[in-house]
Amino acid sequence: KGIAFHAGELLWNSKPIGRNHNGLRLAPQYLPSEPSLVFWISDFHFAPELIRIFLNATKYHDVVPIILDDAREYNWPRWGIIRIYDPETGGMKLRFITPGVGKKLKDSFEARREKTIELFRIYNRRPIRMRGAFDLKKLFRFFEERLE
């Protein structure tokens, strides 16, 4: 078995030990000391300060952020009751949706996403956005554009 297969197997079988993103502070110590290509795959729904900490700690690596977008974060129902994750409590809560509330939620997700992308740009790390299924062609285009 190749090392990539072994790494994938380890990730697949791993069990999270925390309920937050603070492990990002420790992750860089597990990277090789020589500059490496690092794919950072996440929805990035956490504090921008953690992104800064990780990017500062990995400045000698080629970090490629892959942002996983969930279409449901941008397409709220016009009316109804939904269950939504509350990052402050770590639990789910019910939310009554009206057209105005749905627009505010959508605008909030879009603004937060743009701030995250801008933060990556400040660190000269262009992210790849994936909405829905993983698009391998996007990944190929990303690297082709870097060669130009």
Side-chain angles (χ1 to χ4, degrees):
K1 295 179 183 178
I3 193 159
F5 181 82
H6 182 66
E9 193 174 46
L10 285 172
L11 285 171
W12 184 260
N13 294 319
S14 67
K15 300 215 180 335
I17 57 174
R19 303 228 17 111
N20 57 45
H21 300 96
N22 288 324
L24 284 171
R25 298 171 192 271
L26 303 174
Q29 71 187 5
Y30 295 101
L31 295 174
S33 56
E34 63 273 357
S36 303
L37 177 62
V38 177
F39 291 101
W40 187 10
I41 304 170
S42 175
D43 60 9
F44 296 96
H45 290 312
F46 46 85
E49 186 56 30
L50 281 175
I51 295 173
R52 284 187 201 90
I53 289 168
F54 184 84
L55 292 175
N56 284 325
T58 58
K59 62 185 168 195
Y60 297 112
H61 295 284
D62 187 359
V63 176
V64 178
I66 298 179
I67 301 173
L68 302 177
D69 278 328
D70 186 337
R72 293 174 294 182
E73 296 169 351
Y74 302 92
N75 298 311
W76 298 94
R78 289 185 46 78
W79 294 93
I81 298 175
I82 62 168
R83 284 176 15 117
I84 189 168
Y85 175 73
D86 181 359
E88 292 176 10
T89 65
M92 302 297 285
K93 66 179 182 180
L94 291 177
R95 184 85 188 252
F96 184 70
I97 299 295
T98 65
V101 170
K103 181 175 178 354
K104 284 180 185 176
L105 286 169
K106 179 182 177 185
D107 291 349
S108 171
F109 272 95
E110 288 176 352
R112 186 172 29 183
R113 180 63 73 224
E114 288 308 313
K115 287 179 182 175
T116 300
I117 290 169
E118 183 57 31
L119 180 57
F120 286 130
R121 287 186 183 126
I122 290 169
Y123 282 87
N124 200 25
R125 301 285 181 235
R126 193 178 117 221
I128 302 169
R129 290 183 73 175
M130 296 285 177
R131 186 174 284 186
F134 189 83
D135 185 350
L136 197 54
K137 289 179 183 176
K138 266 189 183 176
L139 192 61
F140 288 148
R141 278 194 305 272
F142 174 84
F143 284 106
E144 286 174 348
E145 290 170 5
R146 283 179 53 165
L147 291 174
E148 295 173 358

